[in-house]
Amino acid sequence: MPLEISPLTPLLLEVPFEWNYIRSIIRVSLYVSLVAVTLSTLCSLPVALFVGFKDFRGKALLTSIINTGMGFPSVVVGLAVLFAVSNQGPLGSLELVFTPEAMIMSQFVLATPVIAGVSLAAVSSVERNVRDAAFAMGGTRLDVALVTIKEARYGIATAVLAGFGRAISEVGSVLIVGGNIAGADGTSRTRTLTTAIQLEAQQGRYETAMILGGILVVLVLLVNAIVVRLGSDDGGYR
Amino acid sequence: MTIQRRAYIATVGGGVVAGLAGCTTLGGDNDDEAGISGETLTLTTTTSTYQTGLLDELNAPFQDRYGVTVEAIPKGTGDALETARNGDSDAVMVHARSLEDEFMEDGYGVNRRDLMFNDFVIVGGPDDPASIAGSDDAAAAFAAIADSESMFFSRGDNSGTHTKELEIWDEAGFDVESAGEWYNDSGGGMGEILNVANEREACTLADRGTYLSMRSNIDLEILVQGPVEGGPELLANPYGIVAVNPAVHDHVNYDLSMAYIGYLTSVEGQEIIENYTVEGEQLFFAKALAEDPNFQQYVPAGWQSSDGDD
């Protein structure tokens, strides 16, 4: 076993927690954040392209709504989602309260304005003559959109990363709508890295909290590295 | 003759008091080397004493009299003790005897005193799928919850309530680690857990004070009463206060801690606890004024046996 000669091994053997616990927390964190960010991206990109291309009444208003949404307090979003999915709420019959799906809903609401806002800026900065050229070559609206996305891909990748960063490092709303629940066997149901850190710190188990914090930072770095690598094959910052 | 002697004592006593007042500035905010005036006591405490407002009621007369400040930091029992272990607080007021004993045995605390008590209750939705309503055996009620696999929410945060919950599962002969889907550990404050349990119509163990303060907003009912309403002694919730050992952390304010502990366990402090009510309900019951004071309280349970183990 190569692990046995690693200098990290004694450190890992003494960790004050169960690996199953950590693994399930990471799984829930990634599942919730990735699904939320994927859905957000699918919704945000058309909005960003539409707002970026078209001139219409209320464009300035919509842009400022998106920009306000980027800084919207997450606990307020959590509360709103909780009211929506609670037993007495309009979506109460779906029994979503304190499930990963409810957490996805709140992270979707949080990440969408960030992704829409940042990719809107990226799309707007694509030069007009690129779009005109695409049209002139007989491209359909979809072709033009795809060309624009290709041109703005680094900015859009930044947008998705910002959205992911907001989603995975979020505490307040996931605590409210998720309930920070783990099973008796120590597997997470709605416990994420952030809410686990909060809980460990609350119990004075600062070592475990620090390790979980380290894992969270490493995860965010990893995702960043992957996205930057995907986006920078030929171009990077324009 | 008697009268004369009294007059003499009164005169001398008065003179001493006047003399002391001259050099210690009672109630002032001067930093005087003699006395504790102007100093600050850092107290880590469990959230229940803080959120119910009892601490403010207790601390105000103490602060007025001695010209000191009590800074109460509300934390779960586990974190409160950990903070004290690190020497970041002068005294701790908590409610998990086993954790307190460990804290004492490790040498971090001295002069633990029983302070007061109230009780825990088992609450659940009105359907009561485990049919435990009215039971007078907490362990049997927990066993019934496990047998019927009724949904149960646990604090899971190493708090006093969580420690008590594990003690009851232990008493019921049930290993929580092996519990199935019905057992949920939702780490968080008592209020949050009551809300979560309310949404899911699940059972949970709650301290009576927090439950009473939230009763109007939730549908959960008390299924098993604690000893305050004649329930089993197993659900008792005793609070203790411990001074941080100055021999371990020499910067802690030991004199002020002991003055505070003395005040809390005095007739005056205990009467404030007895008379404190929220919406007409008494939340805490004085313990230091008991008819049969518990002299064993200074000795952690199992002190001798664990001495041998080490």
Side-chain angles (χ1 to χ4, degrees):
Chain A
M1 292 270 284
L3 247 182
E4 277 174 7
I5 50 167
S6 152
L8 273 177
T9 311
L11 214 154
L12 287 174
L13 288 178
E14 281 168 36
V15 288
F17 50 72
E18 299 263 321
W19 272 112
N20 277 342
Y21 175 64
I22 300 286
R23 220 176 291 139
S24 67
I25 289 173
I26 295 174
R27 200 177 53 236
V28 170
S29 287
L30 282 179
Y31 167 70
V32 168
S33 303
L34 290 177
V35 171
V37 168
T38 309
L39 293 176
S40 291
T41 309
L42 292 178
C43 295
S44 308
L45 276 188
V47 172
L49 286 172
F50 180 78
V51 177
F53 288 175
K54 286 267 186 194
D55 282 319
F56 55 93
R57 267 171 66 96
K59 178 170 170 169
L61 180 68
L62 185 57
T63 313
S64 67
I65 289 176
I66 291 175
N67 289 336
T68 311
M70 288 168 76
F72 208 69
S74 62
V75 278
V76 179
V77 172
L79 262 188
V81 173
L82 179 69
F83 286 146
V85 298
S86 118
N87 287 336
Q88 275 78 43
L91 303 175
S93 55
L94 298 177
E95 303 209 322
L96 285 175
V97 67
F98 306 127
T99 60
E101 285 69 33
M103 294 155 78
I104 290 174
M105 282 174 68
S106 77
Q107 297 202 344
F108 173 81
V109 175
L110 285 170
T112 302
V114 175
I115 300 181
V118 179
S119 42
L120 173 58
V123 166
S124 308
S125 70
V126 172
E127 282 170 40
R128 190 158 193 106
N129 54 26
V130 173
R131 279 188 272 145
D132 291 343
F135 258 131
M137 293 172 73
T140 62
R141 278 166 176 273
L142 182 65
D143 294 330
V144 178
L146 288 177
V147 166
T148 312
I149 289 177
K150 187 157 185 271
E151 285 299 308
R153 68 183 177 285
Y154 200 85
I156 290 171
T158 309
V160 174
L161 277 182
F164 177 77
R166 177 136 207 222
I168 199 158
S169 58
E170 163 47 31
V171 199
S173 70
V174 289
L175 202 56
I176 294 175
V177 302
N180 194 18
I181 299 170
D185 54 354
T187 55
S188 159
R189 289 178 198 163
T190 60
R191 186 165 297 170
T192 63
L193 281 164
T194 50
T195 57
I197 291 169
Q198 198 251 10
L199 175 62
E200 296 295 331
Q202 200 179 307
Q203 296 174 60
R205 296 209 296 251
Y206 301 117
E207 280 178 19
T208 318
M210 286 292 288
I211 293 170
L212 286 169
I215 293 175
L216 179 58
V217 171
V218 167
L219 270 185
V220 174
L221 282 175
L222 264 180
V223 172
N224 270 279
I226 292 171
V227 174
V228 168
R229 178 148 189 96
L230 287 181
S232 69
D233 273 344
D234 65 290
Y237 275 114
R238 293 178 55 85
Chain B
M1 190 63 192
T2 331
I3 292 169
Q4 274 179 349
R5 192 185 295 151
R6 251 187 213 162
Y8 173 71
I9 293 172
T11 314
V12 172
V16 170
V17 169
L20 279 176
C23 41
T24 55
T25 331
L26 279 178
D29 48 6
N30 273 8
D31 272 330
D32 209 306
E33 279 184 33
I36 52 177
S37 173
E39 295 182 3
T40 299
L41 176 78
T42 309
L43 172 76
T44 39
T45 178
T46 164
T47 45
S48 51
T49 53
Y50 190 81
Q51 285 168 353
T52 52
L54 172 71
L55 266 190
D56 292 337
E57 203 78 7
L58 274 172
N59 290 348
F62 180 73
Q63 300 187 117
D64 284 351
R65 176 152 341 134
Y66 296 103
V68 296
T69 314
V70 179
E71 276 183 2
I73 307 171
K75 286 168 176 283
T77 289
D79 195 10
L81 288 171
E82 184 66 25
T83 308
R85 268 175 206 264
N86 293 336
D88 292 334
S89 67
D90 303 314
V92 272
M93 185 190 291
V94 284
H95 62 144
R97 188 60 200 265
S98 56
L99 298 180
E100 288 163 50
D101 286 350
E102 199 182 306
F103 181 76
M104 299 287 289
E105 281 178 29
D106 293 347
Y108 289 99
V110 283
N111 295 337
R112 182 194 176 280
R113 292 291 307 268
D114 283 344
L115 182 60
M116 59 191 182
F117 69 96
N118 57 14
D119 64 352
F120 293 105
V121 289
I122 303 176
V123 299
D127 319 345
D128 186 19
S131 319
I132 55 171
S135 165
D136 59 1
D137 184 343
F142 266 35
I145 290 173
D147 285 343
S148 60
E149 308 215 324
S150 311
M151 190 177 280
F152 183 90
F153 274 89
S154 163
R155 288 278 293 274
D157 63 351
N158 208 14
S159 60
T161 311
H162 183 218
T163 309
K164 174 59 80 177
E165 182 213 312
L166 295 179
E167 192 186 321
I168 301 173
W169 286 120
D170 207 39
E171 197 79 14
F174 183 80
D175 179 15
V176 173
E177 300 270 312
S178 68
E181 283 282 309
W182 55 272
Y183 186 91
N184 296 277
D185 157 4
S186 175
M190 194 69 251
E192 291 156 37
I193 303 299
L194 281 169
N195 275 328
V196 174
N198 185 51
E199 287 283 345
R200 291 288 192 84
E201 293 179 357
C203 293
T204 189
L205 183 73
D207 70 277
R208 187 185 294 273
T210 311
Y211 169 74
L212 286 179
S213 64
M214 294 183 59
R215 186 171 47 179
S216 53
N217 298 321
I218 55 180
D219 301 326
L220 298 176
E221 292 171 356
I222 293 183
L223 300 177
V224 179
Q225 291 282 1
V228 168
E229 293 287 339
E233 202 53 40
L234 182 57
L235 292 177
N237 180 21
Y239 288 79
I241 178 139
V242 190
V244 174
N245 190 352
V248 177
H249 292 295
D250 55 7
H251 61 276
V252 298
N253 201 332
Y254 179 69
D255 290 346
L256 189 50
S257 288
M258 289 314 294
Y260 188 62
I261 292 175
Y263 161 77
L264 290 181
T265 52
S266 71
V267 174
E268 184 188 359
Q270 295 284 300
E271 276 176 355
I272 292 174
I273 292 170
E274 275 291 315
N275 295 331
Y276 186 71
T277 55
V278 170
E279 292 178 17
E281 302 255 12
Q282 182 178 348
L283 294 188
F284 297 97
F285 299 82
K287 187 65 179 286
L289 284 185
E291 296 261 313
D292 49 345
N294 173 15
F295 291 113
Q296 287 296 315
Q297 62 181 289
Y298 302 105
V299 184
W303 177 276
Q304 260 107 14
S305 61
S306 80
D307 235 20
D309 289 345
D310 296 339

